[in-house]
């Protein structure tokens, strides 16, 4: 959890990100007051470069201005605890094709993960700096906290087929409809063979419920507001198992409509990745 290790990790993550997006350059910058400082760079602004934060205080995936012109094509501000923590920028694709909508969604998800990782690192560093000498060991991150970086690298390296994600999403939409589930492409993808389509639908539902439970954090959910680690499970469970309206879930989690749909996309990709990693879907 040192600054050097954090920067080394960010450089590695940026390289994977640029490879998956088929771009030749990119950068990750940390907000420092009214400026951003580049922490990781691939054929872009040198590490340590600074530029005004006004150039990237924007929602969504804006295009660059000012000092960033020519160094990036898209900028993604990353928020954590309602604070804009970091910024991820990438250049144009090597094949000169436009980015797909799914690429930009994925880029937003990765930027958010990096923002939370940087926030966690900052809290650890501040905790270590303010702790008495005889309590310093208590500020050392546990192994599961260190593994959060491995989790991010896994997400960076994983870009599932959009048709597969759509099939998984359609499966959850019809989670309580055995007839539709049994006739869906997901039944074949899951390798399910049954005597009729209704029985197939029941088996598909069971598989989806099993993988959904893998998203559930350990223990009972704390009192509201729920912490971030419960969002993915809660959104999918409440939307598809409990069949709650989106506005009800947004109100319970105190999140905006845009955040809700982004987190739901993120959760569906996580479920799809779990299905592949466990060999449930080949």
């Amino acid at each position: 959890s040192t600054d050097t290790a954090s920067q080394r990790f960010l450089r590695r993550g940026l390289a994977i990100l640029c490879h998956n997006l088929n771009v030749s350059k990119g950068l990750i910058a940390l907000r420092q007051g009214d400026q951003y400082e580049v922490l990781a760079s691939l054929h872009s602004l040198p590490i340590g470069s600074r530029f005004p934060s006004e150039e990237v205080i924007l929602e969504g995936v804006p295009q660059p201005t000012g000092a960033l012109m020519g160094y990036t094509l898209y900028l993604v501000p990353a928020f954590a605890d309602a604070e804009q923590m970091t910024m991820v920028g990438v250049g144009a694709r090597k094949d000169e094709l436009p980015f797909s909508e799914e690429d930009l969604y994925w880029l937003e998800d990765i930027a958010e993960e990096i923002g939370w990782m940087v926030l966690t690192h900052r809290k650890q560093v501040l905790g270590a700096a303010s702790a008495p000498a005889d309590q310093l060991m208590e500020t050392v991150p546990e192994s599961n906290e260190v593994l959060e970086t491995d989790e991010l690298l896994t997400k960076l390296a994983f870009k599932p087929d959009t048709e597969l994600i759509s099939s998984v999403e359609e499966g959850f939409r019809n989670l309580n409809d055995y007839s539709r589930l049994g006739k869906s492409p997901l039944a074949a993808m899951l390798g399910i063979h049954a005597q009729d389509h209704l029985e197939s639908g029941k088996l598909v539902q069971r598989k989806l419920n099993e993988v959904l439970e893998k998203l559930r954090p350990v223990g009972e959910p704390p009192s509201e507001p729920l912490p971030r680690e419960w969002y993915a499970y809660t959104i999918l469970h409440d939307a598809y198992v409990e069949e709650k309206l989106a506005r009800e879930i947004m109100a319970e989690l105190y999140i905006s409509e845009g955040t809700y749909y982004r987190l739901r996309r993120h959760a569906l990709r996580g479920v799809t990745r779990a299905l592949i990693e466990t060999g449930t879907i080949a």
Side-chain angles (χ1 to χ4, degrees):
S1 190
T2 63
D3 287 337
T4 301
S6 178
Q7 289 183 348
R8 185 169 59 249
F9 165 77
L10 288 176
R11 288 197 294 271
R12 182 182 172 196
L14 179 64
I16 298 173
L17 174 67
C18 290
H19 173 77
N20 272 341
L21 288 175
N22 194 28
V23 301
S24 59
K25 57 187 174 183
L27 58 83
I28 298 172
L30 172 67
R31 186 169 184 178
Q32 308 267 28
D34 60 356
Q35 290 187 315
Y36 272 87
E37 180 179 354
V38 177
L39 297 183
S41 177
L42 181 67
H43 308 306
S44 187
L45 287 173
I47 292 175
S49 299
R50 292 176 176 262
F51 50 88
S53 59
E54 289 83 359
E55 295 184 10
V56 289
I57 303 181
L58 300 166
E59 292 287 346
V61 186
Q63 294 189 326
T65 59
L68 295 171
M69 287 287 287
Y71 288 98
T72 58
L73 179 64
Y74 284 106
L75 302 174
V76 185
F79 293 83
D81 280 357
E83 179 185 358
Q84 189 170 317
M85 297 291 301
T86 58
M87 186 276 294
V88 179
V90 295
R93 287 175 57 96
K94 295 177 184 178
D95 55 16
E96 300 183 353
L97 293 175
F99 288 108
S100 68
E101 186 178 61
E102 183 64 25
D103 283 337
L104 297 180
Y105 285 154
W106 182 71
L107 185 56
E108 287 182 345
D109 287 345
I110 294 300
E112 183 195 26
E113 290 295 327
I114 291 173
W116 281 101
M117 190 203 76
V118 169
L119 177 64
T120 300
H121 171 70
R122 178 180 286 180
K123 287 180 177 179
Q124 290 171 352
V125 171
L126 291 175
S130 59
D134 59 351
Q135 296 179 15
L136 277 179
M137 287 304 297
E138 296 180 9
T139 68
V140 176
E142 298 293 336
S143 59
N144 62 332
E145 292 176 323
V146 175
L147 287 175
E148 288 178 3
T149 58
D150 295 332
E151 173 70 6
L152 176 56
L153 288 178
T154 301
K155 291 175 181 177
L156 279 163
F158 178 77
K159 285 192 68 181
D161 184 275
T162 54
E163 291 185 11
L164 178 56
I165 297 174
S166 296
S167 295
V168 171
E169 180 177 9
E170 189 65 21
F172 275 105
R173 287 184 188 278
N174 298 307
L175 191 62
N176 298 312
D177 188 332
Y178 295 145
S179 180
R180 290 197 177 196
L181 281 181
K183 295 176 181 177
S184 72
L186 200 54
M189 292 177 182
L190 293 171
I192 290 174
H193 303 285
Q195 59 185 4
D196 57 49
H197 73 284
L198 291 177
E199 187 62 29
S200 292
K202 293 178 182 179
L203 294 173
V204 172
Q205 184 198 62
R206 184 184 303 170
K207 291 284 188 183
L208 291 178
N209 280 327
E210 286 175 357
V211 75
L212 176 57
E213 285 305 305
K214 291 181 181 294
L215 284 182
R216 191 184 194 280
V218 177
E220 293 301 313
S223 59
E224 295 184 0
L226 285 176
R228 177 176 175 267
E229 59 265 24
W230 279 87
Y231 284 6
Y233 172 78
T234 301
I235 287 173
L236 293 189
H237 180 272
D238 288 6
Y240 299 122
V241 178
E242 300 292 336
E243 297 185 325
K244 291 184 180 180
L245 297 175
R247 64 172 176 269
E248 294 180 57
I249 303 171
M250 286 184 272
E252 290 172 2
L253 296 179
Y254 303 99
I255 57 177
S256 66
E257 182 178 8
T259 299
Y260 168 79
Y261 286 109
R262 178 172 50 78
L263 290 174
R264 193 180 71 179
R265 286 195 309 267
H266 182 74
L268 286 167
R269 279 196 281 276
V271 166
T272 305
R273 190 176 87 225
L275 287 169
I276 293 175
E277 289 173 345
T278 57
T280 309
I281 289 181

